[in-house]
Amino acid sequence: MRVLPLTALALSLAASAAHASSPDAWEEFRADVEKSCVASLPEALGTPTVFVEPTGTESFGIAAIEGLSPESKSQVTYVCVYDKQKKTVQVTPAIAAEFLHVVRESEREAAAAERAATGDNKTVDETGQE
C-alpha cells in the first residue's frame, strides 16, 4: 500500500471536491453561504466586506465578514461556518480588527503590485512582523 504525504492527500481531496460541481453550482454555494452568514450576524455591520472561501471543506463553507460595529464603533470580523448538509450556520463572537483583518481586493492588488515592483515576496504587517 502506498502512503501519500499529508499535503499530497489534502491536495488530491481538494482537487476532486473542486471538480465535483459545476462553476454555477459553486457560485450558488458561495452566494448561499454569504447570504446565510450575513443574515446570522448579531449586529448589522457598516460597510461589510465578506470573504467566502470558494469551495469550503468537504462538510463546511467558511466565511469571514468584516465591518464597522455600531456597538463598539470599531472594525470587527466575524467568522461563519456553514454546514453544507444542514444549510445552517454558526458565527463566532466579534473579533477585533487588530487580531484578524479581511483583506479587501484593492489591498490585495496593491500588495501584489508592490511585491512585483520590489521583487520582495515576504508578507509583513504594519508593525514589521512576518
Side-chain angles (χ1 to χ4, degrees):
M1 181 167 118
R2 184 172 169 222
V3 177
L4 291 174
L6 185 57
T7 53
L9 178 61
L11 288 174
S12 67
L13 289 174
S16 63
H19 293 298
S21 296
S22 69
D24 289 343
W26 284 122
E27 189 58 40
E28 185 178 320
F29 162 74
R30 287 187 289 275
D32 193 35
V33 170
E34 180 173 340
K35 179 182 173 187
S36 299
C37 288
V38 170
S40 297
L41 293 177
E43 62 182 335
L45 298 179
T47 61
T49 298
V50 181
F51 170 79
V52 177
E53 202 289 320
T55 58
T57 69
E58 184 176 328
S59 301
F60 301 102
I62 308 293
I65 305 105
E66 179 188 67
L68 183 63
S69 168
E71 291 179 20
S72 67
K73 300 194 182 355
S74 63
Q75 287 291 113
V76 297
T77 300
Y78 290 93
V79 176
C80 176
V81 179
Y82 173 93
D83 187 304
K84 289 180 175 180
Q85 288 190 342
K86 296 177 184 176
K87 298 195 183 297
T88 58
V89 298
Q90 291 187 356
V91 178
T92 66
I95 303 168
E98 62 264 21
F99 299 111
L100 182 64
H101 175 70
V102 177
V103 178
R104 290 170 172 74
E105 188 65 21
S106 60
E107 294 171 312
R108 187 192 64 72
E109 290 170 357
E114 183 178 334
R115 283 193 307 275
T118 63
D120 183 3
N121 202 20
K122 290 183 181 176
T123 305
V124 180
D125 66 15
E126 300 105 27
T127 63
Q129 302 275 328
E130 286 194 48

